Amino acid sequence: MSFVPKSAALVAPLLLTLAACGGGAEQTDDATAGPDSAATDTAPAPAATPTGAETPAPGASPSAMPSASPTPTPTPSATRTVAAATVPAGFAQCAACHSVEPGKNGIGPTLAGIFGDRAGVVPGFEFSDAMKSSGLTWNQATLDRYLTDPRGVVPGTKMAFGGVKDAAQRQAIINYLKTL
């Protein structure tokens, strides 16, 4: 007859469930263990064993259990989307005046969804006449020129910003704007 501590019998189904969904023992909550549990942060509780298999002695080090389902590998397109959606450091200059939340204008208009739109048409924001009549569409080339020298591209704009002189920073900002 093998001995299975009461706490192991309570925790084993939880561990098996976590293993099946990719979680590990480090994600268990000690509060779920019974009062006579000897749970530690470094050793998971022993897992339930099939009928007829030996149960490790209390205090014995359990062997590593393979996950019931492998962790899926992210697809290249998902990786690109996550990487592109990362806010670049250079965007901090933009965030001082612009929100990225749809419909939330600040000192400047929201930048959510502007890539591909005409300049000067964000609802709820009062643009300068110069911006409204600029005829610009926010695409790769236009954004690159505008972010280099806003007042040079649209003389009379209300945007009081000198521009982003570093081409790599500008490109990172444009890539981020494409994801909004």
Side-chain angles (χ1 to χ4, degrees):
M1 178 172 173
S2 64
F3 173 74
V4 178
K6 186 177 181 180
S7 62
L10 295 173
V11 174
L14 176 62
L15 290 174
L16 292 174
T17 302
L18 286 171
C21 69
E26 69 276 1
Q27 294 175 342
T28 62
D29 184 359
D30 288 343
T32 61
D36 55 347
S37 171
T40 65
D41 289 341
T42 57
T49 55
T51 305
E54 283 190 40
T55 303
S61 176
S63 61
M65 284 186 1
S67 177
S69 61
T71 303
T73 305
T75 61
S77 61
T79 304
R80 274 195 306 271
T81 301
V82 170
T86 302
V87 180
F91 189 77
Q93 305 169 82
C94 310
C97 298
H98 296 276
S99 168
V100 295
E101 294 178 42
K104 185 176 179 185
N105 295 316
I107 295 170
T110 179
L111 297 177
I114 62 126
F115 192 85
D117 280 354
R118 286 189 351 249
V121 296
V122 173
F125 187 79
E126 186 60 40
F127 287 93
S128 65
D129 289 335
M131 185 61 76
K132 288 190 275 188
S133 63
S134 69
L136 298 175
T137 296
W138 299 124
N139 58 32
Q140 175 69 39
T142 304
L143 281 166
D144 188 55
R145 282 185 330 169
Y146 185 76
L147 291 174
T148 301
D149 183 16
R151 288 178 270 166
V153 174
V154 181
T157 183
K158 292 193 303 187
M159 187 156 132
F161 177 66
V164 179
K165 303 307 177 203
D166 182 82
Q169 269 192 338
R170 264 192 329 273
Q171 187 57 55
I173 292 168
I174 294 167
N175 289 344
Y176 177 61
L177 292 174
K178 290 177 183 179
T179 68
L180 300 177

